Amino acid sequence: MPPLRTALLQSSGCPGSVARNIELLESAAARAAAAGARLLVCPEMFLTGYAIGDDVPRLAEAADGPAAQAVAEIAARHRMAVHYGYPERDGETLYNAAQLIGPDGTALANYRKTHLFGDFEEQWFTPGDRPVVQAELDGVRLGLLICYDVEFPENVRAHALAGTDLLLVPTALMHPFPFVAEAVVPVRAFENQMYVAYANRTGTEGPFEFVGLSALAGPDGTVRTRAGRGEELVVGDVDPALLTASRAGNPYLRDRRPALYGSLA
């Protein structure tokens, strides 16, 4: 099975303007397609901006709303899967969500952030209740989390046990936490024997200063591609052969003793 070329868009887009962010997504998809990517991963809340305050209810849309339809057209036009963060409206309930659209424009998976971070998210969003959401792309099993979720080892281990090969993590990682991108993400990939695609925002937005440092980390704990601090599109390969070899050589999952862990939950 050939590698799955994956592009990470590091950008804060244009906070407050869904239309402008869809234009930026179109441009990024064109560049990713030119680089041979089959998957484009965008940051947390990319379609609207993260620090949008009271605009959350106004900009939130259903998972099949107009913005989702626009992203589906982009995905189909460039024949690549697109994974993006957005505020989801389900009736009167709002979620910090991420959706995966397939290369034919079909919605493959929608995930609602289970671990909300800080007063802003807790004010506007309801936490999701599905810890493992997955989809298939070109024979690779994709799993979905959002930002703070990946910092809980239980979340990532649940994906490992469910067979996730590539974990997609749109994020809004801010100061003073760059160590999450630099250290935690590669460790999560290594200890769970999977790839982790971590796509961050950048620059200053409201009270937040995002640190960039988007990364594709491999199951051997090495970072296959890394962005700097500014606006950037980086591309790396998810290699099923490396994943198979790494899992054969690393005994973490085989050596687990689940009977000892019940008290942890």
Side-chain angles (χ1 to χ4, degrees):
M1 187 162 50
L4 176 65
R5 181 151 292 182
T6 301
L8 309 180
L9 175 61
Q10 179 166 289
S11 173
S12 285
C14 184
S17 176
V18 174
R20 178 58 181 148
N21 290 327
I22 288 174
E23 291 177 357
L24 294 171
L25 180 56
E26 170 74 52
S27 174
R31 286 180 284 141
R38 283 280 290 166
L39 170 64
L40 173 62
V41 184
C42 302
E44 183 176 8
M45 296 277 284
F46 179 73
L47 284 190
T48 60
Y50 182 83
I52 55 175
D54 294 347
D55 277 341
V56 170
R58 179 177 68 85
L59 296 177
E61 290 189 12
D64 60 354
Q69 294 171 26
V71 175
E73 292 173 3
I74 292 171
R77 185 157 47 248
H78 296 285
R79 298 181 181 178
M80 71 167 54
V82 177
H83 183 249
Y84 64 96
Y86 73 109
E88 179 191 357
R89 175 181 292 281
D90 185 358
E92 296 302 311
T93 306
L94 304 177
Y95 298 95
N96 183 336
Q99 182 152 220
L100 177 67
I101 304 293
D104 62 354
T106 301
L108 298 180
N110 191 71
Y111 172 77
R112 296 165 172 173
K113 191 174 186 178
T114 55
H115 294 74
L116 302 179
F117 179 80
D119 294 340
F120 165 69
E121 292 190 15
E122 291 177 355
Q123 175 185 357
W124 290 110
F125 298 116
T126 296
D129 58 7
R130 289 184 61 196
V132 176
V133 173
Q134 296 174 308
E136 298 283 332
L137 177 65
D138 295 352
V140 175
R141 184 170 295 179
L142 309 180
L144 281 61
L145 291 179
I146 299 174
C147 195
Y148 194 38
D149 290 332
V150 81
E151 298 176 41
F152 292 82
E154 299 89 345
N155 277 351
V156 188
R157 181 51 54 88
H159 271 277
L161 297 178
T164 292
D165 300 317
L166 169 60
L167 188 62
L168 309 181
V169 188
T171 188
L173 183 70
M174 58 196 70
H175 281 292
F177 307 113
F179 64 88
V180 174
E182 295 168 335
V184 174
V185 168
V187 168
R188 288 286 179 271
F190 178 70
E191 69 190 1
N192 291 287
Q193 289 299 288
M194 63 175 61
Y195 282 87
V196 179
Y198 191 75
N200 197 16
R201 306 179 69 82
T202 184
T204 301
E205 188 180 332
F208 307 115
E209 183 181 356
F210 301 112
V211 303
L213 302 175
S214 300
L216 177 65
D220 55 359
T222 64
V223 174
R224 322 307 287 190
T225 188
R226 165 84 74 188
R229 298 288 183 139
E231 299 269 337
E232 196 168 350
L233 182 77
V234 295
V235 179
D237 287 337
V238 172
D239 186 355
L242 173 63
L243 193 58
T244 298
S246 185
R247 286 172 171 173
N250 187 311
Y252 274 158
L253 299 180
R254 294 194 303 274
D255 287 351
R256 292 173 64 254
R257 297 182 62 193
L260 300 180
Y261 309 148
S263 62
L264 297 179

